[in-house]
Amino acid sequence: MSRTITVGIDDSPASRAAADWAASEARLRGLPLKIVHVQEPTPRRLAQTPLLDLEGYQRWAGRLTGDFAQDALVRHPGIEVVTEQLTGNVAEELCEAAGSAEMIVLGSRGLSGLRGFMVGSVSQGVVARAEHPVVLVRAEEQAAGAQRTDTGGPPSTETPSRPVVLGLDMEHPDDTLLGFAFDAAAFRKAALRVVHAWPDPATSHHRFPGGVGLHGTFETGQAALLSKVLRPWRRKFPDVEVVEASRCGSPQQVLVDSAGDACLVVVGRRIRTGAFTGHIGHVAHSALHHIAAPVAIVAHN
């Protein structure tokens, strides 16, 4: 099988939103959709308890994946759908599944009355360890979220697309991250808004002579640097409208402020080894907790 859009599911509303988003992404990219449910292994003593109906649970899991597959085929006709039931540590099994996928999609509960996600231990573990893109989708998200539409059905290709927003670290402008973001925008026929934050130089405060001019010079230089990084990608993706947003401020706040109308937000996570393998980075952490749109975490070196 070719690479897949893989979604990890349980019986929650967030998983249904994630599966619908993943099915729409599979249709956009012309890839199969793989629906995966992972069962935690049952301790030996508990497995021998007469009241525990393991066969009944397995039948339920089979019906669950089958129902998700049927929903995907109804809402997104023409896609190829496969299902898989696994047993093991949920985060570890999903990380393993992510290794053979184009991306892995997970659902996450939204914060009541607020933007952002409740990121559980499974999602946190997968985001921090998977070396392929991981997309988190809120329970309230509709399919793909790419088009502005007032209906609950599949997005119309004739309606304007909301932008893909990329948070870019200019110290590490990784090609994997840039390629994912440009691809996402191209598949959606959406604009790509590239957001770069830079700190205000300490000597540019107005109380210093020439501070205003120094600030302006630094601002111009940062904008020029962003344009230089994006120039070869503009040539590679000539049909993608690119909006460059170089802003003064903290990377976390600038990204959150720039992502209010996004259909997808893309941020990077550096692959780490050793004691800090579970760290996802401040910007990615902030994006997950304060942005309502689906968030793609792209691991890179």
Side-chain angles (χ1 to χ4, degrees):
M1 178 183 289
S2 63
R3 297 182 70 82
T4 64
I5 304 297
T6 295
V7 58
I9 66 160
D10 53 27
D11 61 347
S12 67
S15 278
R16 293 204 173 272
D20 192 43
W21 191 95
S24 182
E25 191 72 13
R27 184 176 63 178
L28 281 174
R29 294 175 179 260
L31 294 174
L33 171 68
K34 186 175 184 179
I35 299 171
V36 176
H37 174 72
V38 182
Q39 176 188 353
E40 290 276 7
T42 306
R44 183 175 300 177
R45 288 184 180 179
L46 188 58
Q48 296 171 350
T49 303
L51 295 178
L52 186 65
D53 185 4
L54 289 177
E55 291 185 359
Y57 179 87
Q58 291 169 353
R59 288 194 298 271
W60 172 84
R63 289 196 300 272
L64 180 71
T65 55
D67 288 345
F68 271 73
Q70 184 62 32
D71 287 347
L73 289 170
V74 168
R75 287 184 56 81
H76 306 278
I79 66 171
E80 178 185 352
V81 182
V82 296
T83 63
E84 187 173 21
Q85 294 171 239
L86 303 171
T87 300
N89 178 277
V90 179
E92 291 178 1
E93 292 295 333
L94 289 175
C95 280
E96 182 72 19
S100 58
E102 188 77 9
M103 69 181 71
I104 188 160
V105 184
L106 302 174
S108 193
R109 289 189 297 118
L111 295 169
S112 179
L114 299 172
R115 302 162 79 182
F117 299 87
M118 289 286 288
V119 183
S121 59
V122 170
S123 297
Q124 181 83 12
V126 175
V127 167
R129 292 172 177 80
E131 296 191 0
H132 287 78
V134 180
V135 182
L136 291 187
V137 179
R138 286 187 5 153
E140 294 84 358
E141 185 67 21
Q142 294 180 350
Q147 280 76 24
R148 297 184 176 94
T149 175
D150 295 326
T151 68
S156 167
T157 57
E158 298 179 356
T159 55
S161 296
R162 302 192 329 242
V164 174
V165 173
L166 166 63
L168 188 62
D169 178 1
M170 291 301 296
E171 292 185 4
H172 307 284
D174 186 83
D175 285 353
T176 301
L177 178 64
L178 284 157
F180 182 93
F182 271 87
D183 270 338
F187 280 118
R188 288 165 171 75
K189 296 180 173 59
L192 175 63
R193 182 184 301 151
V194 184
V195 179
H196 158 56
W198 46 272
D200 198 7
T203 56
S204 71
H205 296 299
H206 291 204
R207 63 178 179 270
F208 292 97
V212 175
L214 178 61
H215 179 97
T217 300
F218 195 75
E219 181 179 29
T220 301
Q222 291 294 310
L225 180 60
L226 179 60
S227 295
K228 180 180 179 181
V229 169
L230 295 178
R231 194 169 299 128
W233 291 94
R234 285 178 177 272
R235 289 196 295 265
K236 187 175 181 180
F237 291 86
D239 295 331
V240 173
E241 176 190 354
V242 180
V243 179
E244 300 178 12
S246 181
R247 302 282 186 267
C248 178
S250 75
Q252 298 95 314
Q253 192 60 54
V254 168
L255 179 62
V256 171
D257 291 344
S258 301
D261 61 342
C263 71
L264 177 68
V265 176
V266 183
V267 294
R269 177 187 70 81
R270 297 195 70 185
I271 298 173
R272 301 173 185 266
T273 58
F276 297 100
T277 53
H279 182 65
I280 68 171
H282 298 301
V283 176
H285 185 273
S286 182
L288 291 176
H289 285 84
H290 298 289
I291 290 175
V295 177
I297 311 293
V298 181
H300 60 85
N301 293 312

